[in-house]
Amino acid sequence: AFCGLFSKLKLVAGGRNPLDKSPGSCLQVANIAKMLLKRSLTQAESDMLMFPRTCAACSAFLASERMVVTECGGCLVYCDEECRARDKLNFEYLEQIWANREDYLYTRRAGALTDIASLDLANITRIPDTMEEALHMLDPSLSLDTPRGRHVSSQLSSPLTCLMTAAGHIQSPGPHLTLHCVGSRKIETASAWALLASLVPGVQKVTIIFIGLECVQPSEDESPHPNLELIYQPPCPYDEYARSPDYREPDLVCALNCGFILYSSWAASIPLMVRDSGAPLVFTEYYDIDARANLDLVTQLCEVKTLEEVRLNPFRSGLAQRSPRVMWGELSGGRAPVIADNNQLTVVRRL
């Protein structure tokens, strides 16, 4: 049905593909498609629009029957050699783009999301300095050069990021550490949070409260640990939770892959996430340019001391995904063709 609709849109445009040299129009086409089909698009249909078969240099639509120049095993396509020679940005990320293809095939062939369950987190006996070191502690055979290692890193990234922040910026932590994980999605709730229960100095018990509009409790406890308590709030924004009788004062607030600048709803929550108690707020983002804009927004909404300026996170996920840069249209400049969870890190505290 979707392909038939797209063919009709092409006829209306005089035979020209609606995405030809205009990939940013994918959002407009998606809205038209939803209206005419009278339903939401499937993930596959959405991906066809977000990642169309266009030249990586000039964005010309390249029909499947057309002979093209390929790079990276076909992950990138070009009109001709001239376009390939002009593409500088994608060439910087060829290794990660190829890894993205490997990782996708790995998930199709193996239960990649259960990789972490076969490993003993107790092997990480101290806070590592890098993700590579954390993987080596878990299992010397793990590496970011392999799909398995990259998938394990994706489940270690969020807890290690919070662990590093807690150890470096919580002043005199008590025996019971309370952490608010704001804007929670599956990637946060499925992470290896048991690490926090054993590696924060002086802490005997950790409570993690997951809050967000998309927060859903897993069907089973994926991080059992005698000193770890996981609480999943019914879906709601942070400002609503902060005013509820269930509210617990946190020692650390984290907003992972936050997108502060993308959603207007954050404006009401951010001042409440920067606590008067002095609890640090750590937030991560995919792109450097967006991380800096997020920090600017936080400083506009409340007076803060920046404990860590925007920087590359040593515990960023090694699992790269193709970046949906078409969403940004003309503003996509400076955004890499691949993204990774918790790529950029910033830490602030109320002044």
Side-chain angles (χ1 to χ4, degrees):
F2 178 77
C3 291
L5 172 62
F6 208 85
S7 296
K8 292 176 183 177
L9 292 176
K10 189 176 176 181
L11 287 174
V12 171
R16 181 171 178 267
N17 189 291
L19 303 181
D20 184 37
K21 293 187 180 295
S22 181
S25 63
C26 70
L27 299 179
Q28 181 182 4
V29 173
N31 287 329
I32 293 172
K34 286 189 287 186
M35 180 177 65
L36 296 179
L37 294 174
K38 297 180 180 179
R39 62 170 174 80
S40 297
L41 300 184
T42 66
Q43 185 64 56
E45 291 168 343
S46 177
D47 286 346
M48 288 170 68
L49 293 175
M50 295 301 296
F51 303 98
R53 192 170 187 265
T54 55
C55 175
C58 73
S59 297
F61 184 80
L62 302 173
S64 58
E65 63 271 15
R66 174 176 169 174
M67 294 297 292
V68 298
V69 177
T70 64
E71 188 63 66
C72 192
C75 297
L76 299 173
V77 289
Y78 300 93
C79 297
D80 47 36
E81 288 288 355
E82 182 180 349
C83 271
R84 180 163 69 168
R86 284 197 295 117
D87 182 25
K88 305 299 182 185
L89 180 62
N90 285 298
F91 268 56
E92 295 178 24
Y93 296 92
L94 281 183
E95 186 177 331
Q96 289 164 278
I97 292 172
W98 176 259
N100 170 250
R101 180 178 182 274
E102 280 190 312
D103 295 338
Y104 170 76
L105 294 174
Y106 178 76
T107 61
R108 300 288 293 187
R109 291 193 295 258
L113 292 179
T114 62
D115 277 338
I116 196 78
S118 63
L119 299 167
D120 187 358
L121 293 177
N123 289 335
I124 301 181
T125 56
R126 59 175 177 80
I127 302 175
D129 294 323
T130 64
M131 182 62 77
E132 278 282 16
E133 185 179 15
L135 292 175
H136 188 76
M137 286 180 181
L138 270 181
D139 182 341
S141 68
L142 287 177
S143 167
L144 290 174
D145 294 330
T146 66
R148 181 169 181 252
R150 291 191 290 267
H151 276 84
V152 170
S153 80
S154 72
Q155 292 170 287
L156 293 176
S157 178
S158 294
L160 284 176
T161 297
C162 294
L163 181 62
M164 175 180 64
T165 306
H169 299 293
I170 294 181
Q171 301 167 345
S172 304
H176 189 171
L177 179 74
T178 299
L179 185 152
H180 288 179
C181 190
V182 190
S184 298
R185 302 163 300 139
K186 182 173 175 57
I187 185 63
E188 283 86 29
T189 56
S191 296
W193 291 105
L195 284 171
L196 272 75
S198 56
L199 291 181
V200 180
V203 171
Q204 299 170 13
K205 182 178 180 180
V206 174
T207 296
I208 303 176
I209 304 174
F210 298 95
I211 309 123
L213 294 172
E214 300 177 40
C215 182
V216 178
Q217 182 167 353
S219 55
E220 58 185 44
D221 187 359
E222 300 181 31
S223 303
H225 191 284
N227 299 327
L228 178 65
E229 178 186 24
L230 303 180
I231 299 174
Y232 302 89
Q233 287 295 313
C236 70
Y238 189 83
D239 60 303
E240 181 179 318
Y241 168 66
R243 296 184 176 94
S244 75
D246 295 330
Y247 188 80
R248 297 192 195 182
E249 190 65 37
D251 300 291
L252 173 66
V253 180
C254 62
L256 306 170
N257 308 304
C258 62
F260 286 161
I261 60 170
L262 298 181
Y263 306 98
S264 59
S265 57
W266 278 117
S269 293
I270 289 173
L272 298 169
M273 292 160 60
V274 183
R275 305 302 302 166
D276 289 334
S277 65
L281 164 66
V282 55
F283 52 94
T284 63
E285 187 56 272
Y286 299 117
Y287 309 105
D288 176 87
I289 187 173
D290 297 338
R292 297 184 186 282
N294 288 337
L295 179 58
D296 287 342
L297 177 61
V298 172
T299 57
Q300 290 169 23
L301 293 173
C302 43
E303 294 185 351
V304 298
K305 176 182 180 181
T306 303
L307 304 178
E308 293 195 41
E309 294 284 353
V310 174
R311 68 182 178 97
L312 199 61
N313 181 6
F315 298 119
R316 61 192 177 277
S317 170
L319 198 62
Q321 301 291 338
R322 296 295 286 268
S323 171
R325 286 187 294 168
V326 294
M327 290 178 59
W328 296 92
E330 295 179 356
L331 299 176
S332 63
R335 292 179 173 85
V338 291
I339 57 176
D341 283 326
N342 303 320
N343 197 47
Q344 302 289 333
L345 169 87
T346 316
V347 184
V348 299
R349 173 183 286 130
R350 184 171 290 279
L351 195 62

